[in-house]
């Protein structure tokens, strides 16, 4: 008998390639009221690119959004099908009217709809990425109130991700057999699954899209780069990786140390890049800053520290 697949409790973070760094900070901190917890750089490539992190009050796994601002580098992505397209955030029930007004005050247009019997508020990041606040009845994660958002309206964290696919069948198989997703629910062109617990950011919504051309998979302004799952331990991460490879999903990376967590990346059959992330013993958001000081100092991986002044001079100035 085969061993049971390791349990994934939910998501870990979501990472996007955006435009202006200042626009990104203004959107996530000033408009959405999220906590700015880290300012560092992209590990990959030779061009200095910020890596900015935002979270709820506690920086929980499944409550962190991270961004690469590519405007200054001039690298553009293309949104399309066979690509992660929608950032879904968990908001308290009854909060959407508040959020519609707050977003409007910050110049962000929004509209209310109902999907899978839940109200949601849809809007866009300044670079065009699609966002939705989804009402959650019982989400215990603490929203951040430091940006003037009352606690009973503050965003809990990630609700999930919307992936546009030309056909959902292979993604249903992958998320069920290799991520442990539960039963599927269908509504129109959407197929919904959940990985892990209800309040851990594990919703996957597959949107059947046979109209758009395939989107880009490179780093590039205006696109989601990857969606990370919380593998919890390096042992679990290994088991999940070996299971995927054994099934033939060999477009999968070796272990990469991202300082705050360790990562393995796999290209899903629906095109979305998924990550298996582990916040290891030497990592975590407080490995280089105290809990009260998160996001205040420009952090660099050790291999870039000798180039601190050079790198910082090439990055966009941002006010936080």
């Amino acid at each position: 008998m085969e061993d049971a697949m390791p349990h994934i409790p939910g998501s870990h973070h979501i990472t996007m390639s955006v435009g202006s760094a200042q626009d990104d900070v203004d959107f996530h901190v000033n408009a959405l009221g999220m906590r700015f917890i880290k300012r560092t750089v992209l590990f990959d490539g030779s061009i200095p690119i910020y890596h900015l992190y935002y979270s709820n009050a506690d920086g929980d796994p499944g409550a962190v959004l991270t961004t690469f601002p590519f405007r200054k580098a001039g690298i553009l992505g293309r949104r399309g099908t066979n690509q992660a397209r929608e950032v879904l955030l968990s908001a308290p029930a009854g909060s959407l009217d508040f959020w519609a007004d707050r977003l409007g005050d910050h110049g962000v247009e929004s509209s209310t709809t109902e999907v899978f019997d839940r109200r949601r508020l849809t809007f866009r990041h300044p670079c065009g990425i699609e966002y939705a606040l989804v009402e959650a009845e019982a989400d215990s994660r603490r929203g951040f109130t430091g940006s003037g958002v009352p606690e009973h309206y503050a965003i809990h964290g990630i609700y999930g991700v919307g992936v546009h696919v030309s056909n959902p069948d292979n993604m249903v198989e992958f998320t069920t057999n290799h991520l442990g997703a539960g039963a599927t629910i269908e509504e129109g062109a959407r197929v919904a699954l959940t990985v892990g617990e209800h309040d851990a950011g594990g919703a996957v919504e597959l949107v059947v899209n046979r109209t758009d051309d395939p989107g880009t998979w490179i780093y590039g302004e205006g696109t989601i780069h990857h969606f990370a799952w919380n593998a919890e331990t390096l042992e679990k991460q290994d088991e999940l990786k070996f299971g995927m490879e054994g099934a033939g999903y060999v477009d999968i990376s070796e272990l990469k140390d991202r300082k705050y967590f360790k990562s393995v990346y796999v290209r899903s059959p629906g095109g979305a890049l998924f990550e298996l992330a582990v916040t290891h013993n030497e990592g975590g958001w407080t490995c280089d800053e105290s809990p009260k000081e998160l996001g205040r100092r420009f952090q660099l991986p050790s291999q870039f520290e000798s180039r601190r002044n050079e790198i910082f001079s090439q990055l966009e100035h941002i006010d936080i």
Side-chain angles (χ1 to χ4, degrees), residues 11-17 42 44 51 53 64-68 83-87 129 158 160-161 163 216-220 223-229 256 258 261 263-268 271-277:
S11 62
H12 190 277
H13 66 272
I14 184 169
T15 295
M16 297 154 278
S17 298
L42 172 63
D44 303 321
H51 195 177
Y53 291 69
V64 176
L65 310 184
T66 90
T67 62
F68 303 130
Q83 179 191 65
R85 281 273 295 267
E86 303 171 13
V87 179
I129 295 174
I158 296 169
V161 63
V163 180
T216 51
W217 290 350
I218 62 169
Y219 293 125
T223 57
I224 294 172
H225 187 257
H226 64 264
F227 188 83
W229 298 99
K256 295 181 181 292
R258 301 310 198 188
F261 43 86
S263 306
V264 168
Y265 301 87
V266 59
R267 182 67 65 182
S268 73
L273 183 63
F274 284 160
E275 175 184 338
L276 305 173

Side-chain angles (χ1 to χ4, degrees), residues 241 245 250-256 263-266:
K241 178 178 186 286
E245 288 176 324
V250 294
D251 189 2
I252 190 166
S253 77
E254 297 304 314
L255 183 67
K256 295 181 181 292
S263 306
V264 168
Y265 301 87
V266 59

Side-chain angles (χ1 to χ4, degrees), residues 67-83:
T67 62
F68 303 130
F70 271 94
R71 178 70 53 79
K72 191 170 183 181
I75 302 174
L76 299 176
R78 182 183 65 253
R79 290 186 295 279
T81 191
N82 297 335
Q83 179 191 65

Side-chain angles (χ1 to χ4, degrees), residues 202-228:
V204 178
E205 295 186 5
L206 307 175
V207 182
V208 179
N209 181 343
R210 299 189 178 100
T211 302
D212 293 343
D213 290 333
T216 51
W217 290 350
I218 62 169
Y219 293 125
E221 176 180 340
T223 57
I224 294 172
H225 187 257
H226 64 264
F227 188 83

Side-chain angles (χ1 to χ4, degrees), residues 124-201:
R124 289 180 181 266
H125 186 284
C127 73
I129 295 174
E130 300 156 71
Y131 275 60
L133 288 173
V134 183
E135 286 194 331
E137 294 288 345
D139 191 328
S140 61
R141 296 173 294 176
R142 291 196 313 131
F144 183 59
T145 59
S147 293
V149 178
E151 183 176 358
H152 53 285
Y153 292 143
I155 294 169
H156 298 298
I158 296 169
Y159 180 82
V161 63
V163 180
H164 285 220
V165 294
S166 55
N167 188 304
D169 293 347
N170 290 340
M171 275 296 284
V172 170
E173 180 275 334
F174 180 81
T175 53
T176 300
N177 293 348
H178 299 288
L179 298 177
T184 61
I185 304 172
E186 297 185 29
E187 181 180 288
R190 286 184 183 260
V191 178
L193 309 93
T194 301
V195 175
E197 285 75 50
H198 72 280
D199 61 349

Side-chain angles (χ1 to χ4, degrees), residues 32-140:
L32 292 180
M34 301 191 76
R35 184 181 184 189
F36 186 78
I37 62 168
K38 200 67 64 180
R39 174 171 46 170
T40 181
V41 295
L42 172 63
F43 275 61
D44 303 321
S46 59
I47 303 172
I49 302 293
Y50 272 131
H51 195 177
L52 309 178
Y53 291 69
Y54 311 90
S55 79
N56 66 357
D58 301 313
D60 300 315
V64 176
L65 310 184
T66 90
T67 62
F68 303 130
F70 271 94
R71 178 70 53 79
K72 191 170 183 181
I75 302 174
L76 299 176
R78 182 183 65 253
R79 290 186 295 279
T81 191
N82 297 335
Q83 179 191 65
R85 281 273 295 267
E86 303 171 13
V87 179
L88 309 178
L89 301 177
S90 175
S95 68
L96 296 192
D97 289 342
F98 165 84
W99 281 111
D101 290 341
R102 182 179 173 97
L103 290 173
D105 290 343
H106 287 274
V108 179
E109 295 183 0
S110 64
S111 60
T112 305
T113 186
E114 188 170 298
V115 180
F116 298 117
D117 297 323
R118 288 178 184 262
R119 290 183 71 222
R120 61 179 59 182
L121 189 71
T122 60
F123 51 100
R124 289 180 181 266
H125 186 284
C127 73
I129 295 174
E130 300 156 71
Y131 275 60
L133 288 173
V134 183
E135 286 194 331
E137 294 288 345
D139 191 328
S140 61

